[in-house]
Amino acid sequence: MIPKTVAIGVGVILVAYYYDPIIWRRLVGSLSSNNSWEVRIANAWEKQITAPRYEKKRIAVGINVNADLIVSGTDLFRKLNVQPSGNKHDHHVLRSMDDLEETFAYYFEKGAGVERFFADQTSFQNMVAAAHSLQEKHYFVGGNAALIALKIASTFPDIQILLIGPTGPKVKALLSENIQTPPSCKRDQDEIHLILEYSKGEVWGDAVTPVATRFITSHDIANSEMDSLSGFAENVKEFNPDVVVFSGLHLLDGKDATFQFQRITSLLDQLTKLPKNIPIHLELATMADKTLVTQLFAQVIGQVNSLGLNEQELALIAKVIGLSTEGLVAINGHPDIPSISDVLLGLLRAKRKTTLTRIHFHCLTYHIIATRKGHWSNSKSAVAAGTRVAGIQACKDDYIRPEKVELRVPKRAVAISNSPNHGDKKQFSPDDPVITWEINDVEFHFSPVLVCKNPVKTVGLGDAISGTGLVYSDFIS
């Protein structure tokens, strides 16, 4: 006779098989687990991630919105009869196809994602036409603001989103039902961004890319001129959100200093009109203009509560404010952990008069959320949720599949600082992967990423990470 407990267990598995394939796969995965580090980390996240104390019901996001046209970078170059020149040079603004190829090759060899403005409208339109003629192409919502809004809306369907930015028909059709846009943001045509993706191990000329990532280029006027900035505060106050997310400042890259100053002044005017009890998160993206970064640090970063960025943006900020950039360059997607920690500490303590109390740093192999003590809580869950979504979205899955991801953080104790005064190491464990430490009045929460071995979707990872982490974070003051 079959024991009652066994019969119940078999019944649960059969119900899962017939009615919920996802639960079935999880059950089978747990039964056949090889107890790898990847399995143990994924299981630990499930236990460690807890909901924030203060539920967010409404989030306002702005201001860059566009339609992404996603294609293979090397396929598009072949379609355009562009050959590898052998020259690898970073052009801050693209003024010709030669500039595009040289900059693409420069970052392709490094395996680093980047975004550059294409100044020649005719050449850019020709590229879009060629991209349309490729067999493999996809349209998706683009722009940091729109991607953050879309990720939050799909993951947390009970949260209402106000998306402020130029919204054309392609983007509008792709938005979730819980995302609304102000009438003033409606546009007859979408701004198109070309996303040139490449896979790990792909070859371009004499270069082999070490990781899968993407190169982004556009001739985007509405977003680069920040058209939707006018009336931003009015729309936000009418919506009455629990948190405000702002992005798109990187599109000022390549503009003249006078225009940059005017737009930043307008932004500050809008931010000062927002209620002080609503936290503001600023999401950065790739920039090359040191003058712009200097202005952002001097005027904007001190006026927001939270900041999201990767190692490229962090290194540029560190350079303009005089912090050491040694160790910040990623080798196979892995910048030096203590060097990153030291710069985050320096950035949070760089100004006495500042509202900046939180930084969410994300790179390919790990994330760190650093906060001023007493201003944020639930950061352990926030950093775990952010790292978990990175592996899920890159593999385009519904949950972490251990066989499709890999741990690239060294399986040893983690150094937390290069300073001899804070030279302790923290032991890394797959059963408790979120490491925490405190230096002075700054709290650090570290979590490894389970990196997707064969990424399907590289666009918007940073936005998904920051948006998810922000929802799980509790703002105290």
Side-chain angles (χ1 to χ4, degrees):
M1 185 173 181
I2 300 175
K4 185 177 180 179
T5 54
V6 174
I8 291 173
V10 171
V12 169
I13 292 175
L14 289 175
V15 168
Y17 177 78
Y18 283 106
Y19 292 101
D20 197 328
I22 292 178
I23 292 178
W24 164 254
R25 287 194 293 270
R26 284 180 173 173
L27 283 170
V28 173
S30 65
L31 291 172
S32 61
S33 168
N34 59 5
N35 207 32
S36 68
W37 278 52
E38 286 78 9
V39 169
R40 292 163 66 185
I41 289 171
N43 289 339
W45 282 339
E46 292 287 340
K47 298 174 183 177
Q48 290 181 340
I49 298 173
T50 59
R53 179 178 298 180
Y54 305 105
E55 182 183 4
K56 297 170 183 64
K57 297 180 179 179
R58 302 166 76 84
I59 297 177
V61 187
I63 61 170
N64 60 325
V65 179
N66 64 267
D68 281 345
L69 179 52
I70 306 171
V71 297
S72 161
T74 54
D75 284 353
L76 179 60
F77 282 147
R78 282 189 284 268
K79 186 71 177 181
L80 292 165
N81 293 318
V82 173
Q83 303 297 323
S85 66
N87 298 324
K88 302 178 183 70
H89 182 71
D90 182 12
H91 297 274
H92 295 171
V93 177
L94 309 179
R95 305 188 186 281
S96 66
M97 292 303 295
D98 287 342
D99 286 356
L100 171 66
E101 191 279 328
E102 290 175 4
T103 309
F104 177 86
Y106 178 85
Y107 285 99
F108 181 93
E109 185 174 59
K110 293 178 178 295
V114 72
E115 183 167 354
R116 291 290 182 265
F117 181 77
F118 207 114
D120 185 341
Q121 182 179 13
T122 301
S123 294
F124 181 75
Q125 289 175 339
N126 290 338
M127 288 172 60
V128 172
H132 273 295
S133 69
L134 293 175
Q135 186 174 357
E136 290 291 330
K137 57 184 180 294
H138 304 281
Y139 264 111
F140 199 72
V141 172
N144 305 82
L147 289 170
I148 291 171
L150 196 65
K151 186 61 183 180
I152 294 175
S154 61
T155 308
F156 309 95
D158 291 334
I159 296 179
Q160 295 298 310
I161 310 292
L162 178 69
L163 177 60
I164 303 171
T167 308
K170 285 186 172 64
V171 170
K172 186 64 177 177
L174 293 168
L175 294 179
S176 306
E177 291 183 0
N178 53 333
I179 299 177
Q180 58 180 280
T181 56
S184 60
C185 292
K186 183 180 178 181
R187 299 291 186 274
D188 293 332
Q189 291 184 332
D190 295 89
E191 291 285 358
I192 304 296
H193 287 210
L194 273 176
I195 315 297
L196 311 183
E197 292 195 322
Y198 42 89
S199 305
K200 179 181 178 181
E202 196 169 344
V203 178
W204 179 249
D206 60 357
V208 179
T209 185
V211 299
T213 185
R214 75 288 179 274
F215 185 99
I216 304 175
T217 186
S218 68
H219 184 82
D220 184 337
I221 302 302
N223 284 301
S224 64
E225 295 189 353
M226 301 173 70
D227 283 357
S228 302
L229 187 57
S230 176
F232 179 82
E234 183 179 348
N235 284 319
V236 169
K237 286 191 289 187
E238 184 177 345
F239 186 66
N240 190 29
D242 300 303
V243 62
V244 174
V245 182
F246 195 91
S247 66
L249 292 177
H250 62 286
L251 293 172
L252 291 174
D253 212 45
K255 298 289 185 180
D256 65 73
T258 300
F259 183 82
Q260 291 175 353
F261 177 78
Q262 291 172 346
R263 293 286 85 187
I264 289 174
T265 300
S266 297
L267 169 62
L268 291 173
D269 179 60
Q270 293 293 314
L271 294 182
T272 57
K273 294 177 181 178
L274 297 178
K276 300 302 180 185
N277 64 314
I278 301 177
I280 302 170
H281 173 85
L282 173 63
E283 187 68 16
L284 295 183
T286 303
M287 294 173 285
D289 188 335
K290 292 179 182 178
T291 302
L292 173 61
V293 176
T294 301
Q295 288 190 70
L296 293 182
F297 179 78
Q299 299 180 62
V300 180
I301 290 178
Q303 304 301 315
V304 301
N305 307 95
S306 176
L307 186 66
L309 75 181
N310 65 20
E311 69 274 17
Q312 294 177 42
E313 295 129 27
L314 186 64
L316 192 52
I317 291 176
K319 191 170 185 177
V320 300
I321 65 175
L323 296 175
S324 173
T325 59
E326 187 176 353
L328 302 190
V329 176
I331 300 175
N332 292 329
H334 185 79
D336 182 60
I337 295 170
S339 297
I340 293 292
S341 173
D342 288 343
V343 174
L344 294 178
L345 176 66
L347 186 54
L348 280 174
R349 296 176 60 84
K351 289 184 176 183
R352 290 187 177 182
K353 293 183 178 181
T354 180
T355 58
L356 180 66
T357 52
R358 177 183 183 271
I359 302 175
H360 189 161
F361 168 80
H362 43 80
C363 66
L364 180 67
T365 57
Y366 66 88
H367 301 167
I368 297 176
I369 291 181
T371 60
R372 293 287 291 266
K373 194 172 183 179
H375 292 276
W376 296 83
S377 63
N378 208 40
S379 295
K380 185 172 185 177
S381 293
V383 74
T387 49
R388 182 175 63 177
V389 80
I392 291 173
Q393 181 158 314
C395 284
K396 210 173 182 180
D397 285 324
D398 297 320
Y399 60 93
I400 291 289
R401 295 173 181 262
E403 73 278 6
K404 296 173 67 174
V405 297
E406 60 183 349
L407 178 70
R408 295 189 188 175
V409 172
K411 299 177 181 180
R412 59 175 183 265
V414 174
I416 64 172
S417 173
N418 290 315
S419 170
N421 297 326
H422 310 290
D424 294 342
K425 292 185 177 182
K426 296 290 183 178
Q427 189 59 47
F428 178 66
S429 167
D431 300 313
D432 189 14
V434 178
I435 302 173
T436 64
W437 66 89
E438 186 176 325
I439 300 177
N440 297 328
D441 63 341
V442 176
E443 298 174 327
F444 295 84
H445 293 81
F446 165 98
S447 180
V449 175
L450 293 180
V451 182
C452 185
K453 296 177 185 176
N454 298 295
V456 178
K457 186 173 181 57
T458 63
V459 176
L461 276 182
D463 304 310
I465 289 161
S466 287
T468 301
L470 196 60
V471 170
Y472 277 93
S473 295
D474 277 321
F475 177 66
I476 300 172
S477 63

